[in-house]
Amino acid sequence: MTPARPEKARAGRAAQSLVDAFTADAPDVVCFCHLVWEFVWQRPQHLLSRFAQYGRVYFVEDPCWHHDPDDRQVQPHLEIKPKENGLKVVVAHLPVQLQATPEEAEAIQERLLHAYFAAERVDDDFIAWYYTPMAIGKSRSFRPGVTVYDCMDELSAFAFAPPALKAREQELLQRADLVFTGGQSIYEAKVGRHPSVHAFPSSIEKEHFAKARTPLTDPADQAQIPHPRIGFFGVIDERFDIELVGKLALRRPDWHIVLLGPVVKIDPATLPRAANIHYLGGKAYAELPAYVGHWEVAALFFARNESTRYISPTKTPEYLAAGKPVVSTTIRDVVRPYGELGLVQIADTAAEWEAAVGAALAQSADSGWLQQVDELLSTMSWGQTWQQMVTLVQA
């Protein structure tokens, strides 16, 4: 075995010493996120749950608005929900009337958070970790020791994005000490806007999804679906290519398309319906390997639009860790590196997908392909990503 170069070994020891220093006396982490903790287990949950193993973590969600007429007199208050490793989800409950005066609503949330964190004795050395720039409005007066903007998506391109989002992001970029990005494409879009931007593409818990390579019982709601199965898990929203799925199902009625995930921000009535399209609803993270293990091909049915221009789908390495061949539309962060390495089939039209799925079915029997997959996946994990982020924060 070739010995490590001295400078590389020293760099590795220095990085590890920073991680050790962080975990020995971990500061509080206050995360402001637009996602609900219980919704879908993804990047924020993977990272924040690791912080919670060493210190206190507060996950501040968007407010809950009370629309029911019986709730007209609801008093603004915080709900605290304990989660794994002592992590606390913090949710403000507000009367719906305050939506008409957003600045007042933000000011109320800011006062509630200040009072709560004072009672919790959260001091000024805490880490403010942002996923949404909109949270600046309820946290502008906070003075954290370090501010991190973990930019996992270009939220301004999503449906129903707030008009103020771009201006808030610019303000957050000015306040942030570090900017992390959820993929290479969005890194390229942000790198010129801040002096310390670092790309951390979607990663993987290999051991979790590798369970799909072992004999697992086919879940009851999937067991009666015929084979071959082309499967997808994830949120079904404006990023989902409805037209592609409908056309592919029509071209190949003998293939069965299995779709796992909640439908949000789009009208369910617009989704394609056919005897070979199966909507099974949202599934818990722990359940996914059992479903994926009984698919022949895993799919990335992403539309090509502004909302998908910068995405780096976590499900790409997750599908591969499950040992499944993958077909994707031309999402840049899938084409680079997975498509260019020949690990994922790339197609856009229904006709191209028909050929690509055929190639993927053949690929699944290729032991050399699976070996290449495992070699690439050996270089990535959420644990490694978290340690690299901690090194930068501690420094």
Side-chain angles (χ1 to χ4, degrees), residues 22-292:
F22 183 93
T23 57
D25 187 21
D28 296 330
V29 177
V30 177
C31 175
F32 298 95
C33 193
H34 57 295
L35 301 171
V36 175
W37 183 264
E38 295 90 350
F39 183 50
V40 175
W41 194 265
Q42 50 189 309
R43 184 184 182 96
Q45 288 86 348
H46 282 294
L47 295 172
L48 274 299
S49 62
R50 283 171 167 79
F51 278 112
Q53 294 176 27
Y54 302 99
R56 298 191 299 178
V57 176
Y58 302 89
F59 189 84
V60 183
E61 296 180 353
D62 285 344
C64 178
W65 300 99
H66 288 259
H67 295 263
D68 193 304
D70 294 336
D71 289 333
R72 286 177 183 170
Q73 303 305 315
V74 66
Q75 293 299 310
H77 66 279
L78 295 182
E79 178 187 9
I80 311 301
K81 298 186 284 187
K83 298 297 176 182
E84 304 86 350
N85 295 318
L87 181 145
K88 293 180 180 178
V89 173
V90 181
V91 186
H93 289 260
L94 304 175
V96 69
Q97 291 89 339
L98 283 173
Q99 285 187 319
T101 53
E103 290 184 359
E104 182 184 0
E106 290 176 334
I108 290 172
Q109 291 176 76
E110 195 164 27
R111 288 197 297 271
L112 289 171
L113 291 171
H114 268 295
Y116 174 64
F117 290 137
E120 288 283 288
R121 299 185 183 277
V122 175
D123 61 28
D124 289 342
D125 284 335
F126 77 93
I127 299 169
W129 193 282
Y130 288 85
Y131 282 102
T132 171
M134 292 305 296
I136 282 289
K138 61 188 176 190
S139 62
R140 195 174 279 117
S141 62
F142 288 99
R143 296 292 178 264
V146 175
T147 298
V148 175
Y149 176 26
D150 190 9
C151 181
M152 61 184 286
D153 287 305
E154 187 63 77
L155 295 179
S156 63
F158 282 24
F160 313 116
L165 199 150
K166 288 188 176 181
R168 292 280 177 91
E169 182 181 62
Q170 184 57 39
E171 182 179 351
L172 179 55
L173 287 168
Q174 291 171 351
R175 295 169 65 97
D177 299 289
L178 294 165
V179 177
F180 301 148
T181 67
Q184 186 64 27
S185 295
I186 199 165
Y187 166 81
E188 292 165 1
K190 305 296 179 187
V191 67
R193 300 179 60 190
H194 190 276
S196 187
V197 183
H198 309 267
F200 288 103
S202 296
S203 200
I204 177 69
E205 282 187 336
K206 295 185 288 291
E207 297 79 6
H208 180 68
F209 285 93
K211 296 173 187 174
R213 303 189 190 189
T214 65
L216 297 173
T217 301
D218 200 357
D221 59 346
Q222 181 176 263
Q224 301 306 312
I225 298 174
H227 294 265
R229 299 169 181 168
I230 296 93
F232 168 92
F233 66 71
V235 179
I236 299 173
D237 57 14
E238 75 272 23
R239 296 169 295 175
F240 189 77
D241 197 329
I242 294 172
E243 183 180 357
L244 170 62
V245 171
K247 288 182 176 179
L248 182 61
L250 185 63
R251 289 182 70 94
R252 293 302 300 257
D254 57 320
W255 290 352
H256 288 262
I257 299 173
V258 179
L259 304 172
L260 312 180
V263 178
V264 300
K265 294 196 290 185
I266 60 173
D267 183 355
T270 64
L271 296 173
R273 303 290 172 176
N276 61 333
I277 302 177
H278 309 270
Y279 297 94
L280 303 188
K283 304 299 175 186
Y285 181 71
E287 298 177 284
L288 293 177
Y291 282 91
V292 179

Side-chain angles (χ1 to χ4, degrees), residues 182-186 310-313 331-338:
Q184 186 64 27
S185 295
I186 199 165
Y310 299 108
I311 64 172
S312 177
I331 300 302
R332 288 177 66 193
D333 283 10
V334 179
V335 174
R336 307 177 305 180
Y338 302 100

